[in-house]
């Protein structure tokens, strides 16, 4: 059915992100900076009421969201009357809930009936949440939210076992809008604390020149080696993605430089875009910062964030090693060399050491056991102080205003997604559907752990198609997590498993959001980029199954077990990269994959001999001048400045 004549089709996608200039831009960034300062104040001074904090945070964000994100892609650059009304309604809801804050504290859910005003403002804020979700995330997550809302209200008409008892509208609003089990649950609580503060750290880092430093450092480390620009993309995108936590923004930021460089070197547009997508996607799993979904994992599971960071180190390193080696082997096989004009590493560090200091402070604070809130605060303070040591990086009032304002504006789609996830979680809790879904997953998967993991991975990727990573993870954790727990899978490894597949959904066809961003830069079909990026990110699809089997890959176990797991991972990733990128006999390819799987085994008697054998083979090949079957004479180098 063609919806264009009806005008409905315009509302099926995300809204237009408006750009402001002059006085309007100053006013917007000033208001956004005020919201940011309010969030910082609330986190540092620990206002006691989590529900009130969540409500005020959401209302403040929504007031800005409806002015900066239009209703449709082709809307006016200036906010419409409707946008102003929705923004005013968001502020009105925030003011009302603040005025009745004492009533919120004393309110007993489903026991004390809602007053007419509470029901009215709760309903208004619910509708604002749905519209904010549609404008920022598009149709996919919005449809999921609407389906669950319909199920909550009319699911009693469905026969058992999927049906549930009758839920009146007042109870529906009470649960979703007046408790921390709905909109203002774990996702929003995390977004209003850890995520916001780390996004602020990343914004201020970028405004002091941190993003440029990361690119220059990556160029200094890898630029002259075979396939230098592609390796620069891998390293710089990983470092920037660690701070931003968003594959799409990472692709847009670093890809605008690295993709054209790779194309000039000789890579096809398809491969250049895929390298950037694969590298950017893994950034949110890279310690010490990681992305918003990792903070939600910590809050949802109750696992200390420091332990999650430590557990994530080996898988993240293996992921990037896999992408890096595939780029390297392809560059050597095709005779693609690096660039000549790059600054030495020491010269780069001499001018950019101020950006290393806050990262060191963050790692020390994590190791000392501080909460993520204070880790982000200490890292930000260290960044601001260190920036004053050089004229180029100095944090001026203008940079501070821009950084704080940009932090709030970056959070707009995150808050829309997290609020929507809260709606779904509240509905699942209210109706008991989560337990029913878990039972269904166990029924489909049977008693085998492998089949259960495959089903869980499939559900997570499907949930993540067109949906932000935090929403995909938390929904998968609620729907699939109980089935994992019932089968005896450890909490840490099973949730890290879901986190990885929620991340990888950003590059998985047919709705690979990161690939669509790269396609505009590379001038190539998004699906071609997506399929190639899946190949480059193959380690990411495989390693989660192995760290569920061998928890030493998550730094769980003795020192010997962890060391063997790390070395076995390096061997396995190298063999996988060879099997994917190098032309070889099918039997040899199968042997490589089998040896790689064995190297990741939790059985030391099996893994250690393979690691030793791989080390001997590597030394022998190095002595012989490398792998003969992929050596190709290299053409002249490329000047990165041209």
């Amino acid at each position: 059915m063609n919806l264009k004549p009806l005008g409905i089709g315009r509302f099926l996608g995300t809204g237009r992100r408006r750009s402001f200039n002059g006085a309007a831009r100053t006013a917007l960034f000033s208001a956004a900076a005020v919201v940011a300062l309010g969030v910082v104040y609330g986190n540092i001074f620990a206002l006691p009421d989590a529900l009130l904090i969540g409500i005020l945070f959401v209302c403040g964000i929504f007031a800005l969201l409806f002015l900066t994100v239009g209703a449709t892609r082709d809307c006016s650059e200036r906010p419409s009357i409707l946008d102003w009304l929705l923004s005013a309604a968001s502020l009105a809801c925030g003011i009302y809930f603040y005025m009745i804050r004492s009533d919120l504290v004393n309110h007993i859910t489903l026991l004390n009936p809602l007053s007419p005003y509470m029901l009215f403002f709760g309903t208004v804020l619910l509708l604002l949440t749905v519209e904010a979700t549609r404008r920022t995330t598009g149709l996919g997550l919005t449809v999921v939210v609407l389906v669950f809302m319909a199920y909550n209200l009319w699911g009693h008409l469905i026969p058992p076992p999927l049906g549930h008892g009758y839920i009146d509208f007042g109870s529906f609003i009470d649960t979703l809008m007046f408790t921390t089990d709905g909109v203002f649950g774990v996702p929003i609580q995390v977004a209003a604390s850890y995520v916001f503060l780390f996004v602020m750290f990343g914004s201020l880092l970028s405004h002091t020149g941190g993003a440029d430093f990361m690119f220059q450092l990556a160029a200094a480390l890898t630029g002259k080696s075979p396939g230098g620009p592609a390796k620069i993309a891998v390293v710089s995108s990983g470092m920037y993605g660690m701070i931003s936590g968003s594959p799409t923004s990472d692709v847009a930021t670093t890809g605008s430089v690295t993709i054209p460089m790779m194309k000039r070197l000789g890579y096809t547009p398809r491969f250049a875009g895929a390298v950037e997508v694969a590298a950017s996607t893994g950034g949110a799993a890279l310690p010490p910062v990681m992305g918003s979904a990792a903070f939600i994992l910590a809050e949802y599971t109750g696992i200390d964030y420091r332990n999650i960071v430590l557990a994530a180190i080996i898988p993240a390193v293996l992921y990037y090693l896999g992408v890096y080696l595939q780029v390297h082997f392809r560059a050597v096989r095709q005779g693609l060399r690096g660039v000549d004009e790059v600054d030495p590493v020491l010269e780069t560090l001499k001018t950019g050491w101020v950006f290393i200091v806050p990262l060191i402070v963050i790692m020390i604070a994590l190791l000392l056991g501080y909460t993520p809130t204070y880790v982000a605060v200490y890292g930000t303070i260290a960044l601001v102080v260190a920036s004053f040591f050089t004229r180029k990086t100095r944090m001026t009032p203008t940079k501070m205003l821009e950084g704080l304002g940009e932090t709030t504006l970056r959070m707009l789609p995150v808050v829309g997604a997290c609020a929507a996830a809260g709606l779904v979680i509240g509905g699942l809790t209210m109706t008991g559907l989560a337990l029913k879904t878990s039972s269904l997953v166990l029924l489909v998967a049977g008693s085998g752990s492998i089949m259960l993991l495959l089903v869980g991975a499939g559900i997570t990727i499907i949930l993540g198609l067109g949906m932000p990573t935090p929403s995909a993870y938390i929904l998968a954790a609620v729907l699939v997590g109980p089935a994992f727990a019932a089968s005896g899978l450890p909490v840490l490894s099973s949730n890290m498993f879901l986190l990885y597949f929620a991340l990888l959904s950003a590059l998985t066809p047919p709705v690979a959001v990161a690939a669509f961003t790269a396609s505009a830069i590379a001038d190539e079909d998004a699906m071609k980029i997506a399929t190639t990026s899946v190949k480059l990110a193959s380690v990411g699809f495989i390693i989660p199954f192995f760290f569920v089997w061998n928890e030493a890959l998550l730094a769980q176990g003795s020192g010997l077990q962890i060391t063997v797991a790390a070395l076995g991972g390096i061997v396995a990733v190298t063999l996988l990269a060879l099997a994917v990128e190098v032309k070889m006999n099918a039997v040899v390819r199968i042997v490589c994959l089998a040896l790689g799987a064995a190297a990741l085994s939790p059985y030391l008697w099996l893994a250690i001999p393979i690691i030793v054998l791989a080390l001997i083979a590597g030394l022998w090949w190095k002595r012989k001048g490398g792998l003969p079957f992929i050596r190709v004479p290299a053409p002249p180098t490329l000047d990165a400045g041209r």
Side-chain angles (χ1 to χ4, degrees):
M1 178 181 178
N2 187 4
L3 298 174
K4 288 185 177 180
L6 301 176
I8 299 175
R10 298 184 303 131
F11 295 91
L12 298 183
T14 56
R16 176 182 184 176
R17 189 66 178 263
R18 297 186 174 105
S19 58
F20 295 85
N21 298 305
R25 186 179 189 277
T26 302
L28 174 66
F29 271 75
S30 299
V34 169
V35 173
L37 290 173
V39 174
V40 173
Y41 175 85
N43 279 282
I44 293 177
F45 294 98
L47 297 178
D49 191 345
L51 176 60
L52 181 61
I53 292 175
I55 291 172
L56 295 178
F57 175 72
V58 167
C59 291
I61 292 291
F62 282 1
L64 294 172
L65 187 152
F66 290 117
L67 298 179
T68 57
V69 183
T72 64
R73 288 187 181 275
D74 56 355
C75 68
S76 170
E77 269 289 292
R78 300 180 63 181
S80 65
I81 295 177
L82 176 61
D83 296 328
W84 283 106
L85 289 175
L86 293 177
S87 178
S90 302
L91 287 176
C93 288
I95 293 170
Y96 172 76
F97 280 107
Y98 183 77
M99 291 174 60
I100 65 165
R101 57 190 181 280
S102 58
D103 295 334
L104 292 177
V105 173
N106 298 319
H107 178 70
I108 302 176
T109 306
L110 303 181
L111 183 60
N112 297 342
L114 298 177
S115 69
Y117 284 111
M118 294 173 75
L119 186 61
F120 172 77
F121 280 99
T123 304
V124 170
L125 190 51
L126 173 65
L127 296 176
L128 291 172
T129 301
V130 175
E131 173 61 7
T133 300
R134 186 196 66 79
R135 291 192 183 199
T136 55
T137 66
L139 189 62
L141 183 54
T142 307
V143 168
V144 172
V145 169
L146 292 175
V147 167
F148 273 95
M149 288 173 59
Y151 176 75
N152 293 339
L153 292 173
W154 299 295
H156 62 280
L157 301 176
I158 301 175
L162 294 179
H164 58 77
Y166 174 71
I167 299 173
D168 64 86
F169 187 73
S171 299
F172 172 74
I173 294 295
D174 197 355
T175 302
L176 292 182
M177 309 308 296
F178 290 88
T179 72
T180 53
D181 293 329
V183 171
F184 311 108
V186 169
I188 282 296
Q189 295 298 325
V190 171
S193 53
Y194 317 149
V195 176
F196 192 97
L197 294 175
F198 273 105
V199 170
M200 181 179 68
F201 172 78
S203 296
L204 295 177
L205 183 70
S206 179
H207 278 276
T208 54
D212 294 335
F213 165 72
M214 290 176 181
F215 181 84
Q216 291 164 5
L217 181 61
L221 291 171
T222 64
K224 290 189 175 182
S225 61
K231 292 176 180 177
I232 293 173
V234 174
V235 177
S236 63
S237 297
M239 290 192 293
Y240 185 81
M242 173 185 67
I243 302 298
S244 72
S246 170
T248 51
S249 66
D250 193 356
V251 169
T253 303
T254 61
S256 60
V257 178
T258 59
I259 291 176
M261 282 182 65
M262 285 185 275
K263 290 173 66 176
R264 289 207 316 271
L265 179 67
Y267 284 113
T268 64
R270 174 175 182 169
F271 192 78
V275 169
E276 181 60 43
V277 169
S280 297
T281 299
L286 186 62
V289 178
M290 305 179 70
S292 55
F295 297 114
I296 295 175
L297 187 156
E299 192 72 20
Y300 179 74
T301 61
I303 300 172
D304 189 83
Y305 183 69
R306 174 180 57 176
N307 295 333
I308 292 174
V309 168
L310 293 174
I313 292 174
I314 296 176
V317 170
L318 294 180
Y319 176 87
Y320 276 98
L321 178 63
V323 178
Y324 187 93
L325 287 176
Q326 286 194 54
V327 166
H328 175 75
F329 290 145
R330 176 171 292 218
V332 174
R333 177 164 54 87
Q334 295 182 350
L336 300 172
R337 293 186 64 186
V339 296
D340 286 331
E341 300 289 334
V342 295
D343 293 331
V345 175
L346 291 179
E347 186 67 26
T348 303
L349 292 174
K350 186 185 299 183
T351 58
W353 64 269
V354 295
F355 303 112
I356 303 294
V357 172
L359 294 177
I360 293 175
V361 170
I362 285 176
M363 289 187 283
I364 292 174
L366 279 172
L367 293 175
L368 291 177
Y370 286 98
T371 64
T373 296
Y374 283 97
V375 169
V377 169
Y378 293 149
T380 303
I381 293 173
L383 171 64
V384 173
V385 173
S387 71
F388 283 96
F389 282 88
T390 64
R391 184 185 299 273
K392 184 179 179 181
T393 63
R394 192 164 297 158
M395 180 67 71
T396 64
T398 301
K399 288 182 179 179
M400 180 66 74
L401 175 66
E402 291 276 338
L404 291 173
E406 185 178 297
T407 299
T408 303
L409 298 179
R410 281 187 181 184
M411 288 296 296
L412 299 184
V414 177
V415 173
C418 288
L423 281 176
V424 176
I425 294 169
L428 290 170
T429 305
M430 199 186 313
T431 60
L433 183 61
L435 293 176
K436 297 174 184 177
T437 304
S438 176
S439 300
L440 181 62
V441 170
L442 286 171
L443 180 65
V444 171
S447 58
S449 296
I450 295 296
M451 183 56 68
L452 180 60
L453 291 173
L454 287 171
V455 171
I459 291 175
T460 307
I461 288 177
I462 292 172
L463 287 172
L465 296 179
M467 189 180 294
T469 298
S471 301
Y473 163 72
I474 193 64
L475 293 182
V478 172
L479 293 172
V480 183
F484 282 0
S487 67
L489 295 177
V491 175
L492 175 60
S493 59
S494 59
N495 277 273
M496 285 289 288
F497 178 92
L498 296 175
L499 173 64
Y500 259 78
F501 281 98
L503 286 172
L504 292 168
S505 64
L507 57 76
T508 307
V511 190
V513 288
F516 278 95
T517 304
S519 69
I521 304 172
D523 193 23
E524 179 59 278
D525 181 74
M527 287 301 99
K528 292 181 179 179
I529 291 176
T531 52
T532 305
S533 65
V534 167
K535 178 181 176 182
L536 284 170
S538 53
V539 171
F541 289 92
I542 295 172
I543 203 69
F545 289 92
F546 282 95
F547 63 56
V548 172
W549 181 36
N550 182 6
E551 281 197 288
L553 286 166
L554 296 177
Q556 308 295 302
S558 66
L560 176 62
Q561 290 173 318
I562 295 171
T563 302
V564 171
L567 294 175
I570 294 172
V571 171
V573 167
T574 304
L575 291 172
L576 175 62
L578 285 170
V580 171
E581 286 296 334
V582 176
K583 294 181 179 180
M584 58 179 66
N585 183 279
V587 175
V588 176
R589 197 184 308 275
I590 292 172
V591 170
C592 284
L593 295 175
L595 289 175
L600 290 170
S601 167
Y603 307 114
L604 300 183
W605 58 266
L606 178 59
I608 291 176
I610 294 175
I611 294 171
V612 173
L613 179 63
L615 178 62
I616 294 172
L619 292 173
W620 183 80
W621 272 320
K622 183 178 180 181
R623 185 178 178 184
K624 292 291 184 180
L627 298 172
F629 47 89
I630 64 169
R631 283 206 313 272
V632 177
T637 57
L638 176 75
D639 185 344
R642 286 184 289 166

